[in-house]
Amino acid sequence: EVQLVESGGGLVQPGRSLRLSCTASGFTFGDYAMSWVRQAPGKGLEWVGFIRSKAYGGTTEYAASVKGRFTISRDDSKSIAYLQMNSLKTEDTAVYYCTREAAAGLDYWGQGTLVTVSS
Amino acid sequence: DIVMTQTPLSSPVTLGQPASISCRSSQSLVHSDGNTYLSWLQQRPGQPPRLLIYKISNRFSGVPDRFSGSGAGTDFTLKISRVEAEDVGVYYCMQATQFPETFGQGTKVEIK
């Protein structure tokens, strides 16, 4: 069974950093691209960014709203994807979801982790 | 960026009756590889999103056959043939043809 479990969320002050982790199981993690999607309270879904599998260079893409502040990485030996968030703003407050990106789209989602940016 | 526009934003439906949601993209979603990366996701209250339909019309594993997707180019539709109580939630279309991947605003399906 495919499982994605996010961790690392919490309350953080504006301007500070936070790192989220997404621990995967039930599939060969290294074979898949992974994405992060966020959802502000009461709002819709916003794509944050994406990391390709190593077979496709392991390169990344980001939404304009986070580019230069957020970094996605992966450790295939541990089946973990990371979202490093720097220079956090109040508008980054959201539930952050880790998703597997396959030919079928964003086919599996974690339960999400809440990040609250507030002084 | 490709803008995804859904209509309606709210859809009160009687149990057992059909429901339909439209999604229009600001440009063609046909990828250079010939595929159209248009998906539909369902988000039940308090739950993470769940993939229903991918590449316009393919039902994901475990998705009931009352859900169907259609369309081409810039116009797409999700249909629920007979709405059940468990179908209550918000439905999103999403494109992955071009970065950044983008979502529609969401359509709330509720029971009348």
Side-chain angles (χ1 to χ4, degrees), chain A residues 35 37 39 43-47 50 52 61 97 101 103-111, chain B residues 37 39 41 43 47-51 54-55 60 92 94 96 99-105:
Chain A
S35 285
V37 174
Q39 186 170 36
K43 302 296 185 183
L45 302 171
E46 180 187 14
W47 180 81
F50 162 93
R52 295 175 178 84
E61 307 284 345
Y97 294 104
E101 184 133 9
L106 300 181
D107 60 355
Y108 288 95
W109 294 63
Q111 289 294 315
Chain B
Y37 295 100
S39 300
L41 301 108
Q43 188 173 31
Q47 296 294 312
R50 163 198 178 201
L51 179 65
Y54 64 97
K55 289 194 274 188
F60 188 58
Y92 296 92
M94 178 207 165
F99 290 113
E101 299 182 6
T102 47
F103 294 89
Q105 319 96 299

Side-chain angles (χ1 to χ4, degrees), chain B residues 50-52 59-65 67 86:
Chain B
R50 163 198 178 201
L51 179 65
L52 294 178
R59 268 189 304 277
F60 188 58
S61 174
V63 174
D65 61 8
F67 291 94
E86 65 179 18

Side-chain angles (χ1 to χ4, degrees), chain B:
Chain B
D1 296 3
I2 297 177
V3 176
M4 306 296 288
T5 304
Q6 290 182 229
T7 53
L9 297 183
S10 178
S11 180
V13 185
T14 301
L15 285 173
Q17 293 301 301
S20 181
I21 301 169
S22 294
C23 176
R24 177 166 289 179
S25 57
S26 60
Q27 56 188 273
S28 174
L29 297 186
V30 179
H31 192 275
S32 57
D33 66 6
N35 289 304
T36 299
Y37 295 100
L38 184 282
S39 300
W40 290 95
L41 301 108
Q42 175 197 60
Q43 188 173 31
R44 291 171 171 151
Q47 296 294 312
R50 163 198 178 201
L51 179 65
L52 294 178
I53 302 284
Y54 64 97
K55 289 194 274 188
I56 303 178
S57 59
N58 297 276
R59 268 189 304 277
F60 188 58
S61 174
V63 174
D65 61 8
R66 64 178 181 275
F67 291 94
S68 64
S70 62
T74 61
D75 288 286
F76 307 93
T77 303
L78 175 70
K79 291 184 179 174
I80 310 173
S81 59
R82 293 173 304 279
V83 171
E84 298 189 4
E86 65 179 18
D87 299 336
V88 165
V90 180
Y91 291 77
Y92 296 92
C93 62
M94 178 207 165
Q95 69 81 21
T97 291
Q98 180 185 112
F99 290 113
E101 299 182 6
T102 47
F103 294 89
Q105 319 96 299
T107 295
K108 188 172 186 177
V109 171
E110 52 194 358
I111 305 301
K112 276 184 189 174

Side-chain angles (χ1 to χ4, degrees), chain A residues 21-84:
Chain A
S21 299
C22 169
T23 303
S25 60
F27 65 101
T28 304
F29 179 77
D31 288 348
Y32 289 86
M34 300 296 294
S35 285
W36 289 90
V37 174
R38 68 184 180 182
Q39 186 170 36
K43 302 296 185 183
L45 302 171
E46 180 187 14
W47 180 81
V48 171
F50 162 93
I51 185 165
R52 295 175 178 84
S53 66
K54 289 289 196 297
Y56 289 89
T59 52
T60 53
E61 307 284 345
Y62 297 98
S65 57
V66 306
K67 196 168 186 177
R69 299 188 299 123
F70 289 13
T71 303
I72 298 173
S73 60
R74 61 191 300 155
D75 185 336
D76 290 351
S77 68
K78 296 181 179 177
S79 296
I80 300 177
Y82 299 101
L83 178 62
Q84 177 68 43

